[in-house]
Amino acid sequence: MQEKRAATVKSVSMVKSATVKSVLAVAARESRANVKPWLIWSVVIVLFNIAGVMKFEGVAAGDPDAVRKLTDAFPKVALAVMGISDLDMSTFAGYYAVLEFYAGIMAAVYAVALARNAVLRELTDGTYEFLFVRPVTRTAILTAKFAAALGDAVAFVAVNVVSSLLCLGLLGDVRGLDEGAAAIVIWRFSVWLFAVMLVFGAVSACAAAVCRRPDRGAAAGNASVIVAYCAGVAYDMLSDHDASVVFRLLSPFRYATPDEVIDGRAPAAFSVLAALIVLVGFATAYVAFSRRDLASR
Protein backbone atom coordinates (compact mmCIF):
# COMPACT_ATOMS: atom_id res chain seq x y z
CA MET A 1 0.00 0.00 0.00
CA GLN A 2 2.82 2.37 0.90
CA GLU A 3 4.62 1.55 -2.34
CA LYS A 4 1.43 2.34 -4.28
CA ARG A 5 1.01 5.63 -2.45
CA ALA A 6 4.66 6.54 -3.05
CA ALA A 7 4.26 5.75 -6.75
CA THR A 8 1.19 7.99 -6.92
CA VAL A 9 2.98 10.85 -5.19
CA LYS A 10 5.93 10.46 -7.54
CA SER A 11 3.62 10.43 -10.55
CA VAL A 12 1.85 13.61 -9.39
CA SER A 13 5.21 15.25 -8.74
CA MET A 14 6.41 14.37 -12.24
CA VAL A 15 3.22 15.79 -13.78
CA LYS A 16 3.63 19.03 -11.83
CA SER A 17 7.27 19.26 -12.86
CA ALA A 18 6.36 18.68 -16.50
CA THR A 19 3.65 21.33 -16.24
CA VAL A 20 6.02 23.91 -14.78
CA LYS A 21 8.63 23.16 -17.44
CA SER A 22 6.02 23.48 -20.18
CA VAL A 23 4.78 26.82 -18.82
CA LEU A 24 8.33 28.15 -18.57
CA ALA A 25 9.04 26.92 -22.09
CA VAL A 26 5.97 28.77 -23.38
CA ALA A 27 7.03 31.98 -21.60
CA ALA A 28 10.58 31.66 -22.93
CA ARG A 29 9.35 31.05 -26.47
CA GLU A 30 7.03 34.06 -26.27
CA SER A 31 9.86 36.23 -24.96
CA ARG A 32 12.15 35.16 -27.81
CA ALA A 33 9.44 35.93 -30.34
CA ASN A 34 9.03 39.42 -28.83
CA VAL A 35 12.73 40.31 -28.78
CA LYS A 36 12.91 41.83 -32.26
CA PRO A 37 9.82 44.08 -31.89
CA TRP A 38 11.07 45.16 -28.45
CA LEU A 39 14.47 46.10 -29.85
CA ILE A 40 12.86 48.12 -32.64
CA TRP A 41 10.51 49.96 -30.26
CA SER A 42 13.37 50.55 -27.81
CA VAL A 43 15.58 52.11 -30.48
CA VAL A 44 12.67 54.31 -31.58
CA ILE A 45 11.93 55.55 -28.06
CA VAL A 46 15.62 56.19 -27.30
CA LEU A 47 16.10 58.23 -30.47
CA PHE A 48 12.84 60.05 -29.80
CA ASN A 49 13.95 60.99 -26.29
CA ILE A 50 17.40 62.10 -27.44
CA ALA A 51 15.92 64.33 -30.14
CA GLY A 52 13.14 65.61 -27.89
CA VAL A 53 14.85 66.19 -24.57
CA MET A 54 17.99 67.68 -26.11
CA LYS A 55 15.83 70.12 -28.09
CA PHE A 56 14.62 71.55 -24.78
CA GLU A 57 18.03 73.18 -24.40
CA GLY A 58 17.18 75.46 -27.32
CA VAL A 59 13.70 76.15 -25.96
CA ALA A 60 15.03 77.02 -22.50
CA ALA A 61 17.68 79.31 -24.00
CA GLY A 62 14.99 81.47 -25.57
CA ASP A 63 12.55 83.92 -24.04
CA PRO A 64 9.87 82.04 -22.00
CA ASP A 65 7.28 84.71 -22.80
CA ALA A 66 8.01 84.36 -26.52
CA VAL A 67 7.49 80.58 -26.28
CA ARG A 68 4.16 81.09 -24.53
CA LYS A 69 3.04 83.67 -27.10
CA LEU A 70 4.00 81.30 -29.91
CA THR A 71 1.92 78.44 -28.51
CA ASP A 72 -0.98 80.78 -27.71
CA ALA A 73 -1.00 81.89 -31.34
CA PHE A 74 -1.95 78.39 -32.51
CA PRO A 75 -5.65 77.49 -32.80
CA LYS A 76 -6.90 75.39 -29.90
CA VAL A 77 -7.63 72.46 -32.19
CA ALA A 78 -4.00 72.46 -33.38
CA LEU A 79 -2.74 72.51 -29.80
CA ALA A 80 -5.07 69.65 -28.90
CA VAL A 81 -3.92 67.55 -31.85
CA MET A 82 -0.28 68.09 -30.86
CA GLY A 83 -0.99 67.43 -27.16
CA ILE A 84 0.08 70.93 -26.10
CA SER A 85 -3.21 72.22 -24.64
CA ASP A 86 -2.85 74.04 -21.32
CA LEU A 87 0.87 73.22 -21.07
CA ASP A 88 3.73 75.68 -20.58
CA MET A 89 6.31 74.60 -23.13
CA SER A 90 8.92 76.92 -21.63
CA THR A 91 9.24 74.63 -18.57
CA PHE A 92 10.79 71.18 -18.62
CA ALA A 93 7.69 69.60 -17.07
CA GLY A 94 5.38 71.04 -19.72
CA TYR A 95 7.79 70.24 -22.53
CA TYR A 96 8.33 66.65 -21.34
CA ALA A 97 4.57 66.17 -20.98
CA VAL A 98 4.22 66.80 -24.71
CA LEU A 99 6.99 64.29 -25.45
CA GLU A 100 5.26 61.70 -23.27
CA PHE A 101 1.99 62.31 -25.09
CA TYR A 102 3.62 60.88 -28.22
CA ALA A 103 5.48 58.24 -26.21
CA GLY A 104 2.11 57.21 -24.78
CA ILE A 105 0.70 56.69 -28.26
CA MET A 106 3.71 54.54 -29.19
CA ALA A 107 3.40 52.61 -25.93
CA ALA A 108 -0.31 51.99 -26.57
CA VAL A 109 0.35 50.64 -30.08
CA TYR A 110 3.12 48.41 -28.72
CA ALA A 111 0.91 47.15 -25.85
CA VAL A 112 -1.87 46.31 -28.32
CA ALA A 113 0.57 44.26 -30.39
CA LEU A 114 1.97 42.44 -27.33
CA ALA A 115 -1.46 41.43 -26.03
CA ARG A 116 -2.77 40.51 -29.47
CA ASN A 117 0.21 38.28 -30.19
CA ALA A 118 -0.07 36.61 -26.79
CA VAL A 119 -3.62 35.53 -27.64
CA LEU A 120 -3.38 34.93 -31.37
CA ARG A 121 0.20 33.96 -32.21
CA GLU A 122 -0.42 30.19 -32.30
CA LEU A 123 -3.63 30.65 -34.28
CA THR A 124 -2.09 32.91 -36.92
CA ASP A 125 1.14 30.89 -37.15
CA GLY A 126 -0.68 27.57 -37.25
CA THR A 127 1.30 26.15 -34.32
CA TYR A 128 -1.62 25.71 -31.92
CA GLU A 129 -1.76 21.92 -32.48
CA PHE A 130 1.82 21.56 -31.28
CA LEU A 131 1.35 23.81 -28.26
CA PHE A 132 -1.95 22.53 -26.94
CA VAL A 133 -1.04 18.84 -26.89
CA ARG A 134 1.16 19.64 -23.91
CA PRO A 135 -0.19 18.63 -20.47
CA VAL A 136 -0.97 22.25 -19.62
CA THR A 137 -4.28 24.06 -19.41
CA ARG A 138 -5.09 26.93 -21.73
CA THR A 139 -5.22 29.23 -18.71
CA ALA A 140 -1.67 28.34 -17.74
CA ILE A 141 -0.46 28.83 -21.30
CA LEU A 142 -2.14 32.21 -21.63
CA THR A 143 -0.77 33.26 -18.23
CA ALA A 144 2.75 32.39 -19.36
CA LYS A 145 2.30 34.37 -22.56
CA PHE A 146 0.87 37.37 -20.71
CA ALA A 147 3.77 37.21 -18.24
CA ALA A 148 6.23 37.41 -21.13
CA ALA A 149 4.31 40.35 -22.61
CA LEU A 150 4.28 42.08 -19.22
CA GLY A 151 8.04 41.67 -18.98
CA ASP A 152 8.43 43.32 -22.39
CA ALA A 153 6.16 46.19 -21.33
CA VAL A 154 8.20 46.77 -18.16
CA ALA A 155 11.41 46.66 -20.21
CA PHE A 156 9.98 49.22 -22.67
CA VAL A 157 9.08 51.61 -19.84
CA ALA A 158 12.51 51.06 -18.29
CA VAL A 159 14.20 52.02 -21.58
CA ASN A 160 12.10 55.18 -21.72
CA VAL A 161 12.97 56.13 -18.13
CA VAL A 162 16.69 55.43 -18.41
CA SER A 163 17.08 57.19 -21.77
CA SER A 164 15.14 60.23 -20.49
CA LEU A 165 17.25 60.47 -17.32
CA LEU A 166 20.48 60.14 -19.31
CA CYS A 167 19.35 62.86 -21.71
CA LEU A 168 18.47 65.02 -18.71
CA GLY A 169 22.02 64.66 -17.48
CA LEU A 170 23.34 65.80 -20.87
CA LEU A 171 21.43 69.07 -20.73
CA GLY A 172 23.97 70.59 -18.39
CA ASP A 173 23.36 74.04 -16.90
CA VAL A 174 20.12 74.88 -18.65
CA ARG A 175 18.55 78.04 -17.28
CA GLY A 176 15.89 77.39 -14.68
CA LEU A 177 16.26 73.60 -14.81
CA ASP A 178 15.98 71.78 -11.49
CA GLU A 179 17.32 68.31 -12.30
CA GLY A 180 15.83 66.76 -9.16
CA ALA A 181 12.33 68.03 -9.94
CA ALA A 182 12.74 67.08 -13.60
CA ALA A 183 13.73 63.53 -12.64
CA ILE A 184 10.60 63.23 -10.48
CA VAL A 185 8.49 64.33 -13.45
CA ILE A 186 10.14 61.67 -15.61
CA TRP A 187 9.40 58.95 -13.04
CA ARG A 188 5.79 60.06 -12.69
CA PHE A 189 5.25 59.91 -16.43
CA SER A 190 6.83 56.45 -16.49
CA VAL A 191 4.10 55.24 -14.11
CA TRP A 192 1.49 56.86 -16.34
CA LEU A 193 3.06 55.19 -19.39
CA PHE A 194 2.92 51.76 -17.77
CA ALA A 195 -0.72 52.28 -16.76
CA VAL A 196 -1.57 53.23 -20.35
CA MET A 197 0.08 50.04 -21.60
CA LEU A 198 -1.90 47.91 -19.14
CA VAL A 199 -5.22 49.45 -20.18
CA PHE A 200 -4.65 49.08 -23.91
CA GLY A 201 -3.16 45.62 -23.42
CA ALA A 202 -6.33 44.53 -21.63
CA VAL A 203 -8.55 45.96 -24.36
CA SER A 204 -6.49 44.30 -27.09
CA ALA A 205 -6.36 40.93 -25.31
CA CYS A 206 -10.13 40.98 -24.84
CA ALA A 207 -10.77 41.90 -28.47
CA ALA A 208 -8.36 39.27 -29.78
CA ALA A 209 -9.92 36.52 -27.67
CA VAL A 210 -13.56 37.46 -28.28
CA CYS A 211 -13.43 38.05 -32.04
CA ARG A 212 -13.63 34.85 -34.06
CA ARG A 213 -11.43 36.14 -36.85
CA PRO A 214 -7.86 37.15 -35.92
CA ASP A 215 -7.84 40.09 -38.31
CA ARG A 216 -10.93 41.57 -36.67
CA GLY A 217 -9.42 41.18 -33.22
CA ALA A 218 -6.27 42.95 -34.36
CA ALA A 219 -8.28 45.72 -36.01
CA ALA A 220 -10.34 46.25 -32.86
CA GLY A 221 -7.20 46.62 -30.75
CA ASN A 222 -5.66 49.16 -33.13
CA ALA A 223 -8.98 51.00 -33.41
CA SER A 224 -9.05 51.45 -29.63
CA VAL A 225 -5.85 53.53 -29.85
CA ILE A 226 -7.27 55.71 -32.62
CA VAL A 227 -10.56 56.24 -30.76
CA ALA A 228 -8.69 57.08 -27.55
CA TYR A 229 -6.46 59.58 -29.34
CA CYS A 230 -9.39 61.31 -31.04
CA ALA A 231 -11.36 61.40 -27.79
CA GLY A 232 -8.32 62.83 -26.02
CA VAL A 233 -8.06 65.58 -28.62
CA ALA A 234 -11.78 66.34 -28.21
CA TYR A 235 -11.36 66.44 -24.43
CA ASP A 236 -8.49 68.93 -24.69
CA MET A 237 -10.59 71.12 -26.95
CA LEU A 238 -13.66 71.01 -24.68
CA SER A 239 -11.97 70.74 -21.28
CA ASP A 240 -13.94 73.75 -20.03
CA HIS A 241 -17.31 72.16 -20.91
CA ASP A 242 -19.31 69.50 -19.06
CA ALA A 243 -19.50 67.43 -22.27
CA SER A 244 -15.74 66.86 -22.08
CA VAL A 245 -16.26 64.19 -19.40
CA VAL A 246 -17.70 61.85 -22.04
CA PHE A 247 -14.58 62.18 -24.17
CA ARG A 248 -12.34 61.71 -21.14
CA LEU A 249 -14.12 58.43 -20.39
CA LEU A 250 -13.28 57.26 -23.91
CA SER A 251 -9.60 58.18 -23.72
CA PRO A 252 -7.26 56.33 -21.33
CA PHE A 253 -4.65 58.90 -22.39
CA ARG A 254 -6.59 61.45 -20.33
CA TYR A 255 -7.55 59.37 -17.29
CA ALA A 256 -4.73 61.41 -15.75
CA THR A 257 -4.12 64.74 -17.47
CA PRO A 258 -0.56 66.02 -17.96
CA ASP A 259 -0.98 68.58 -15.18
CA GLU A 260 -2.17 65.86 -12.80
CA VAL A 261 0.78 63.63 -13.67
CA ILE A 262 3.22 66.50 -13.18
CA ASP A 263 1.71 67.23 -9.77
CA GLY A 264 1.71 63.54 -8.83
CA ARG A 265 -2.08 63.32 -8.64
CA ALA A 266 -4.40 60.64 -10.02
CA PRO A 267 -8.20 61.12 -10.06
CA ALA A 268 -9.74 58.36 -7.93
CA ALA A 269 -12.69 57.78 -10.27
CA PHE A 270 -10.55 57.38 -13.38
CA SER A 271 -7.98 55.27 -11.53
CA VAL A 272 -10.76 52.89 -10.54
CA LEU A 273 -12.07 52.91 -14.12
CA ALA A 274 -8.62 52.03 -15.46
CA ALA A 275 -8.29 49.19 -12.94
CA LEU A 276 -11.73 47.85 -13.91
CA ILE A 277 -10.84 47.90 -17.61
CA VAL A 278 -7.66 45.95 -16.90
CA LEU A 279 -9.40 43.37 -14.69
CA VAL A 280 -12.47 42.90 -16.89
CA GLY A 281 -10.42 42.93 -20.09
CA PHE A 282 -7.99 40.23 -19.04
CA ALA A 283 -10.68 38.17 -17.26
CA THR A 284 -12.81 38.20 -20.42
CA ALA A 285 -9.75 37.23 -22.47
CA TYR A 286 -9.16 34.18 -20.25
CA VAL A 287 -12.78 33.04 -20.46
CA ALA A 288 -13.06 33.57 -24.22
CA PHE A 289 -9.67 31.98 -24.89
CA SER A 290 -10.57 28.83 -22.95
CA ARG A 291 -13.73 28.40 -25.04
CA ARG A 292 -12.68 29.47 -28.51
CA ASP A 293 -12.23 27.10 -31.44
CA LEU A 294 -8.53 27.32 -32.16
CA ALA A 295 -8.95 25.75 -35.57
CA SER A 296 -11.19 28.52 -36.82
CA ARG A 297 -9.91 31.01 -39.40
Side-chain angles (χ1 to χ4, degrees), residues 83-252:
I84 306 179
S85 293
D86 302 323
L87 290 172
D88 186 357
M89 291 282 288
S90 65
T91 66
F92 179 82
Y95 184 87
Y96 190 73
V98 177
L99 294 183
E100 287 302 282
F101 174 71
Y102 296 105
I105 295 173
M106 289 188 282
V109 173
Y110 181 44
V112 165
L114 284 173
R116 179 187 67 234
N117 290 335
V119 176
L120 296 177
R121 191 186 303 278
E122 271 61 46
L123 185 59
T124 55
D125 292 351
T127 58
Y128 62 89
E129 291 178 339
F130 168 77
L131 180 62
F132 289 96
V133 296
R134 292 171 176 264
V136 186
T137 63
R138 290 191 184 187
T139 298
I141 289 173
L142 192 58
T143 300
K145 292 163 75 64
F146 280 154
L150 180 63
D152 289 320
V154 171
F156 176 84
V157 174
V159 169
N160 182 61
V161 173
V162 172
S163 61
S164 296
L165 292 174
L166 290 176
C167 289
L168 181 63
L170 294 175
L171 286 177
D173 298 327
V174 173
R175 184 184 62 190
L177 177 64
D178 183 342
E179 289 194 14
I184 291 174
V185 168
I186 290 173
W187 279 106
R188 286 173 177 171
F189 271 104
S190 71
V191 175
W192 171 82
L193 198 69
F194 184 64
V196 166
M197 294 189 76
L198 284 178
V199 171
F200 282 101
V203 172
S204 178
C206 179
V210 170
C211 295
R212 292 185 178 182
R213 291 175 51 182
D215 56 339
R216 290 183 179 177
N222 293 327
S224 69
V225 180
I226 297 174
V227 170
Y229 169 75
C230 294
V233 170
Y235 170 76
D236 287 345
M237 291 175 58
L238 304 172
S239 57
D240 54 346
H241 295 81
D242 293 337
S244 65
V245 176
V246 176
F247 293 108
R248 190 174 185 181
L249 288 170
L250 294 174
S251 180

